[in-house]
Amino acid sequence: MCQLYSKRDTLALRGKHIGPSCKVFFAADPMKIVRAQGQYMFDEQGERYVDCINNVAHVGHCHPEVVRAALRQMEVLNTNSRFLHDNIVESEANDLALHLARQFKGHQDVITLEHAYHGHLSSLIEISPYKFWKGKDVKKEFVHVAPVPDTYRGKYREDHPDPASAYAEEVKKIIEEAHNGGRKIAAFIAESMQSCGGQIIPPAGYFQKVAEYVHGAGGVFIADEVQVGFGRVGKHFWSFQMYGEDFVPDIVTMGKPMGNGHPMAGVVTTKEIAEAFGRSGMEYFNTFGGNPVSCAVGLAVLDIIENEGLQGNATKVGNYLTELLNKQKAKHPLIGDIRGVGLFIGIDLVKDRQQRTPATAEAQHIIYKMKEKRVLLSADGPHRNVLKIKPPMCFTEEDAEFMVDQLDGILTVLEEALGGKTASVISENTPCKTEVPREAQLELPSGGTADSRESSSKKRNGARADKHSLLSKRLKT
C-alpha cells in the first residue's frame, strides 16, 4: 500500500500538528497501521496483528458488506433528516439521553458511577469521573457519584451476603441526601458492564434495586450500551438483558459498533419520555442525524450480525477464551481475576492475590510484550492493571488460542524473572498512565530484567510455540 510519509515523518507531523492530549497506543513505540481486515491489523511493514481491543469494528475491520452499503448509498443520496428517506433512524446518544431525562420531569441531577466514562462532550465529561477526576475540572453540584458495584476490588466484595443490595443502598443514600439538599434526581446512568472502570459486571439484582430507588425519586434509568451492545455478550443482544426480564431501562444509548467504525449513535426510549420531550417545544435536529449513508451502514451491520451468526460466535469463542484464561489463572499468580461475558473480558493483574494489590507496571510490561508477539491488548481500570479483551466479533477460537499462548509465555518469563515477587516500574505516588515506555524495565530481586530471562525459557516454550506455528506464519503474511 502506498504511503504518503514514512513512520518517522508521520510521527513528527503528528507531534507538530496534533495536540499532546490526543494520545496514541504504545507511546514509546507507536504503531503505524495502514490497513485492516476482519480481526487483523497490518502495519507499514506488512506485519499482521491479532486485534483484541477494537470493539468499534464490531463485525470486523473493513467488512465488504458494510463498505458496499456505504458506497451504494453515497452514489444515490446523502442528506439530513428533514427530508424523507427510507433508511432513517434516531441518532446521537448520551447527550441526547440527558436532554430526554431532564425534560421528562424537569429534574436536573444525575447519578453516575465511579470510574465511569460516557463521552467527550462537555455535558458528558461532567458525568464521567473517569475524565473529570483526572483533569482540572471539579465535580459539578448536580452530579452525584456512587460506588462502582465491583465485587472483586470494591467496597462490598464476593464474600458479602448481599452485595447487590449493599451497593444499591449507596445509591438510595445519595438520593436521600440530594433531596435533603433541595435537589431532584433526573437520571441514573451506567454502562450495563463498565468498560473503562475495568470490565466490571454488577452483581445480580443491583440494577433492579437501583431502578426502583431512581423511579421513586422521579428519575429515569439510562443504560449505556455503547461498548457492550449488539450481541457482544453472546446470549443476549443487549447486555442489560443479562440481569433478568424484570429489568428494562427507560433509555438505552448505543454507538460505535453500530456503524462498524462509521460514526453512528442511537437512543431508544419509551413513548412517554419521547412525548414529554416533544411537548417541551425543543425541536431536536442535527445536520447528520439520520442521514441515509449512516443508516445504510447501520442496517448492513445488523444484517451481518444475523447472517454470519456473530452473536452465537461471541458465546462460543467467549466461553472458550474464558476457559483458557481461567487455566492461566490457576497457573500464574499475577492473574487475580478473570471476569466477563462473551467477547467482553477483563484480566485483573495483581501483585499478590490476598491483598489484591494492582499490578500496574506489570500490566504495561505485558501489553508491550504482547505487541511484540503481534497481539494487541490494552490496560484500563482505575489502576491501569486490567487487560481488556473486546475484539471484533469475528474473533475465532484459533485467535483465542494464539492470544492466550503468547500471554502464557510472557507471564512465565516475567514471573520467573521476578522470582515470585513483583516490583513497580512506577512509584506508588505517581499517577497511572496508559502507556509505560518499553525502556522502563521491571526491577528484579536478583538483578537483570525480564527481557534478559526470556532466552532461557525459549527451549521450554518450544512446544508451545510449535503448536501455533501455522498461525504465527500467517500473521507475517
Side-chain angles (χ1 to χ4, degrees):
M1 178 175 290
C2 180
Q3 299 177 57
L4 291 176
Y5 306 105
S6 67
K7 178 179 176 179
R8 177 181 295 180
D9 289 343
T10 300
L11 190 60
L13 286 167
R14 182 184 175 99
K16 181 179 179 181
H17 298 296
I18 306 295
S21 62
C22 299
K23 305 295 186 182
V24 295
F25 280 129
F26 309 104
D29 183 26
M31 298 175 62
K32 184 175 182 180
I33 297 297
V34 298
R35 67 184 183 94
Q37 189 69 48
Q39 64 273 43
Y40 305 114
M41 303 181 80
F42 299 81
D43 68 14
E44 80 283 5
Q45 301 296 327
E47 293 285 354
R48 190 163 84 169
Y49 296 79
V50 180
D51 181 2
C52 298
I53 55 176
N54 248 310
N55 63 305
V56 176
H58 194 64
V59 298
H61 291 281
C62 304
H63 194 290
E65 289 301 317
V66 176
V67 174
R68 278 194 285 269
L71 177 60
R72 282 195 299 266
Q73 186 60 51
M74 288 180 74
E75 289 178 331
V76 176
L77 172 70
N78 194 20
T79 185
N80 63 56
S81 59
R82 291 188 188 274
F83 296 97
L84 295 179
H85 63 85
D86 294 335
N87 289 338
I88 188 167
V89 294
E90 187 72 35
S91 66
E92 282 201 352
N94 288 331
D95 183 65
L96 175 57
L98 289 180
H99 284 296
L100 289 167
R102 284 168 167 157
Q103 288 292 330
F104 184 51
K105 291 290 180 68
H107 300 176
Q108 290 298 310
D109 287 26
V110 177
I111 301 174
T112 186
L113 294 176
E114 293 172 326
H115 319 307
Y117 171 63
H118 296 291
H120 268 295
L121 293 178
S122 296
S123 63
L124 303 179
I125 290 176
E126 290 174 346
I127 62 168
S128 299
Y130 179 83
K131 285 292 182 182
F132 69 67
W133 279 345
K134 287 183 178 181
K136 296 180 180 179
D137 292 334
V138 296
K139 184 178 75 66
K140 299 295 190 292
E141 189 179 12
F142 58 81
V143 176
H144 311 274
V145 181
V148 63
D150 179 359
T151 58
Y152 179 71
R153 197 183 296 284
K155 186 175 182 179
Y156 308 109
R157 300 187 176 184
E158 70 275 7
D159 57 352
H160 190 282
D162 188 1
S165 294
Y167 277 117
E169 282 295 317
E170 297 285 339
V171 177
K172 183 180 180 182
K173 291 176 186 176
I174 288 173
I175 293 172
E176 291 172 348
E177 290 173 1
H179 284 181
N180 290 338
R183 308 197 67 85
K184 295 181 178 180
I185 302 299
F188 172 91
I189 184 170
E191 291 179 280
S192 301
M193 297 189 293
Q194 197 178 64
S195 179
C196 290
Q199 317 295 84
I200 305 299
I201 303 176
Y206 169 73
F207 280 151
Q208 285 91 333
K209 292 179 184 296
V210 168
E212 177 185 343
Y213 297 145
V214 171
H215 289 157
V220 301
F221 193 111
I222 303 172
D224 182 340
E225 292 266 336
V226 170
Q227 296 262 13
V228 295
F230 292 92
R232 178 157 293 277
V233 298
K235 185 177 180 180
H236 301 286
F237 199 77
W238 303 111
S239 294
F240 73 78
Q241 294 174 298
M242 296 190 306
Y243 304 106
E245 294 183 359
D246 59 336
F247 171 64
V248 180
D250 302 295
I251 301 173
V252 178
T253 63
M254 59 200 75
K256 293 182 180 180
M258 71 186 295
N260 206 53
H262 182 87
M264 290 188 68
V267 177
V268 176
T269 190
T270 65
K271 184 177 181 180
E272 182 183 13
I273 292 174
E275 288 181 343
F277 187 66
R279 287 194 299 270
S280 72
M282 181 187 297
E283 180 184 2
Y284 176 75
F285 171 77
N286 81 49
T287 302
F288 298 106
N291 75 78
V293 172
S294 295
C295 294
V297 168
L299 291 170
V301 169
L302 292 174
D303 288 341
I304 292 164
I305 294 171
E306 181 178 3
N307 296 339
E308 298 186 4
L310 295 183
Q311 190 174 342
N313 188 65
T315 297
K316 177 185 174 184
V317 178
N319 288 345
Y320 182 58
L321 177 54
T322 300
E323 178 185 342
L324 294 178
L325 289 172
N326 276 314
K327 290 179 180 178
Q328 295 301 309
K329 178 185 173 183
K331 179 179 179 180
H332 296 291
L334 271 170
I335 299 178
D337 190 35
I338 303 293
R339 52 181 177 262
V341 183
L343 289 175
F344 183 85
I345 300 171
I347 306 173
D348 198 311
L349 300 178
V350 296
K351 295 183 178 183
D352 65 87
R353 288 183 176 176
Q354 185 174 1
Q355 298 298 322
R356 302 183 180 182
T357 308
T360 299
E362 292 78 3
Q364 308 308 316
H365 174 83
I366 288 167
I367 63 174
Y368 272 95
K369 299 304 290 185
M370 289 292 281
K371 171 177 168 282
E372 292 177 9
K373 302 294 184 182
R374 305 296 183 259
V375 178
L376 302 182
L377 286 174
S378 65
D380 220 326
H383 306 287
R384 291 290 192 269
N385 69 304
V386 180
L387 303 182
K388 297 196 301 185
I389 303 173
K390 44 178 187 170
M393 296 273 281
C394 49
F395 201 71
T396 67
E397 290 185 345
E398 187 180 28
D399 296 321
E401 289 177 357
F402 181 76
M403 189 216 81
V404 172
D405 193 60
Q406 306 314 306
L407 180 63
D408 180 24
I410 290 168
L411 286 171
T412 298
V413 171
L414 180 56
E415 288 170 346
E416 287 178 356
L418 294 168
K421 301 179 181 179
T422 59
S424 181
V425 171
I426 308 173
S427 164
E428 296 295 336
N429 296 320
T430 302
C432 297
K433 296 181 179 180
T434 304
E435 316 296 349
V436 173
R438 288 173 59 196
E439 301 86 67
Q441 300 292 339
L442 291 167
E443 298 173 6
L444 304 177
S446 57
T449 67
D451 288 336
S452 70
R453 306 296 182 90
E454 186 167 5
S455 59
S456 65
S457 298
K458 284 185 177 178
K459 290 183 180 179
R460 293 192 301 275
N461 295 331
R464 178 171 53 234
D466 290 341
K467 180 181 177 182
H468 297 290
S469 59
L470 177 60
L471 183 56
S472 298
K473 291 175 182 178
R474 287 171 54 197
L475 285 171
K476 294 182 179 180
T477 60

